[in-house]
Amino acid sequence: MKPILIKNNVGIPKYKQIISSIEKTIKDGHLKKDEKLPSINKVCLEFGLSRDTVLQAYDELKKRGIIYAILGKGYYIKSTQVSIKQRIFLLFDELNSFKEDLYSSFLENIGDNVQVDIFFHHFNVKVFKKLITDNNGNYTKYIIMPTYLTEAASIIKTLPVEDVYILDQTNEELKSYPAVYQNHRKDIYDALIKGKSKLNKYKKLVMIFPGFREPVGMKEGFKKYCEEFSIDHEVITKFTNRNITLGEVYIIPDDRDLVRVIEASKLQNLELGTDYGIVSYNDTPLKKVVGNGITTISTNFDAMGRILAQMILKNKEEQIENKCALILRNSL
């Protein structure tokens, strides 16, 4: 049985006819794993098609993981799971409880017939580059968390521009790509404005900003707020060998520092929300109960995953700023 059949004057693009005929041949059991497909030249000659038309069909099947290519030999069947219409390359910086919520929401909303493969670069530009380079051309969509990596934009630009989505953080070099992102500079500034009446009873704001994983926009928004309202403030990289001074509020992006501050306050017999304050980043169920409730600045990660899935399913090209909120609790 011929794996490819083309009909003229049926109103269906030829490359789509190639794809559907190969899918049908696989479904009917006439093409099995590792069997070879007709070469591009052979299909062109047999049906009078351009090389680009056949290549477009084969490339789409390759991106979906249905076929693979061996240089100098041709194309072969990789998988008989033709129900998979999209294969998505999802590159996270790391996996934590917040990113897990985002990932779960994305999977729940992306629907059936989609395969999502998740990878992690751990803020390492060499790992980032290798993962993107090794997987270029093997997926229908690429979702990338570039974080602050300085070479991220040039590496991302090696991917097919129409297939890339940016997630969580973006910058001027990536503004041409559709994205769902946090505006960390604006978010922290707006949150501190909202909590200003609570913050006014304290003497000093201290941000613990290690600067390794944390978006620099957090520090910029914090400084903007403090300088605009002439508030005594300090940015430190770590909380070690330090006593908490009465009247300080700690702005804490990293939960490890949150634990250190609370432990230190217990050693000093300080009461949270009275002697000192805390504003943490990213809400979790545990922060509702720790210290009778930790005030948080948090985006909605569930919404971020849902919005991203909808963008891909509807093929939208937008830059959407995900909403952020200040959740006031007893720590402030």
Side-chain angles (χ1 to χ4, degrees), residues 272-306:
L272 179 59
T274 302
D275 299 324
Y276 79 106
I278 285 177
V279 178
S280 178
Y281 240 90
N282 298 321
D283 204 39
T284 64
L286 194 60
K287 291 177 186 178
K288 296 177 183 178
V289 294
V290 170
N292 291 321
I294 302 294
T295 294
T296 60
I297 300 170
S298 186
T299 196
N300 188 330
F301 289 99
D302 182 76
M304 188 179 283
R306 183 175 65 254

Side-chain angles (χ1 to χ4, degrees), residues 151-162:
E151 298 176 42
S154 60
I155 296 168
I156 289 170
K157 286 175 183 177
T158 63
L159 294 168
V161 64
E162 69 278 4

Side-chain angles (χ1 to χ4, degrees), residues 39-275:
S39 70
I40 290 175
N41 288 337
K42 184 174 181 180
V43 178
C44 289
L45 289 171
E46 184 168 352
F47 298 103
L49 302 175
S50 71
R51 183 176 178 84
D52 286 345
T53 297
V54 183
L55 190 58
Q56 184 179 3
Y58 279 19
D59 278 349
E60 183 169 324
L61 290 167
K62 182 171 176 281
K63 288 177 179 180
R64 287 169 52 195
I66 294 171
I67 69 174
Y68 65 97
I70 299 177
L71 189 62
K73 291 189 176 181
Y75 290 85
Y76 299 81
I77 301 298
K78 182 178 183 179
S79 171
T80 56
Q81 298 298 315
V82 296
S83 61
I84 300 297
K85 299 302 179 184
Q86 289 211 64
R87 291 181 74 235
I88 296 176
F89 173 87
L90 180 57
L91 181 55
F92 273 24
D93 45 24
E94 63 180 353
L95 186 63
N96 52 36
S97 59
F98 327 122
K99 305 291 171 60
E100 189 173 352
D101 289 344
L102 194 166
Y103 178 61
S104 297
S105 175
F106 179 72
L107 290 183
E108 184 179 337
N109 287 279
I110 197 63
D112 299 327
N113 303 328
V114 178
Q115 177 183 322
V116 180
D117 295 338
I118 187 168
F119 303 85
F120 302 93
H121 60 72
H122 302 291
F123 305 92
N124 185 316
V125 70
K126 291 182 179 179
V127 174
F128 184 88
K129 183 175 182 178
K130 178 172 173 52
L131 287 170
I132 287 178
T133 302
D134 289 351
N135 289 284
N136 195 345
N138 295 331
Y139 290 85
T140 57
K141 300 294 180 187
Y142 299 84
I143 302 168
I144 312 291
M145 278 188 184
T147 64
Y148 57 81
L149 296 174
T150 53
E151 298 176 42
S154 60
I155 296 168
I156 289 170
K157 286 175 183 177
T158 63
L159 294 168
V161 64
E162 69 278 4
D163 296 334
V164 174
Y165 290 79
I166 303 300
L167 183 61
D168 196 38
Q169 294 185 54
T170 189
N171 56 55
E172 287 301 319
E173 292 184 281
L174 297 171
K175 281 295 185 182
S176 60
Y177 294 102
V180 185
Y181 66 95
Q182 299 185 66
N183 187 336
H184 291 95
R185 188 176 192 273
K186 176 177 176 289
D187 289 345
I188 191 169
Y189 176 83
D190 289 349
L192 295 176
I193 289 288
K194 183 179 177 182
K196 191 173 184 299
S197 61
K198 298 281 188 181
L199 292 167
N200 284 342
K201 68 180 183 180
Y202 296 93
K203 297 176 182 178
K204 182 178 180 180
L205 271 60
V206 181
M207 171 173 268
I208 306 173
F209 191 81
F212 176 57
R213 294 180 173 86
E214 298 76 19
V216 69
M218 289 181 180
K219 184 169 68 172
E220 293 171 350
F222 170 76
K223 285 186 171 182
K224 179 187 176 186
Y225 171 81
C226 294
E227 290 168 2
E228 186 172 311
F229 294 98
S230 301
I231 297 168
D232 187 18
H233 65 282
E234 183 181 2
V235 177
I236 60 177
T237 58
K238 56 185 177 180
F239 186 88
T240 53
N241 302 319
R242 180 186 178 103
N243 285 327
I244 298 169
T245 302
L246 288 174
E248 288 182 332
V249 175
Y250 285 85
I251 313 296
I252 310 175
D254 192 309
D255 283 352
R256 285 164 288 198
D257 289 316
L258 174 62
V259 173
R260 294 183 186 110
V261 171
I262 292 175
E263 286 177 339
S265 72
K266 289 181 178 179
L267 292 173
Q268 294 180 238
N269 295 315
L270 299 178
E271 184 178 346
L272 179 59
T274 302
D275 299 324

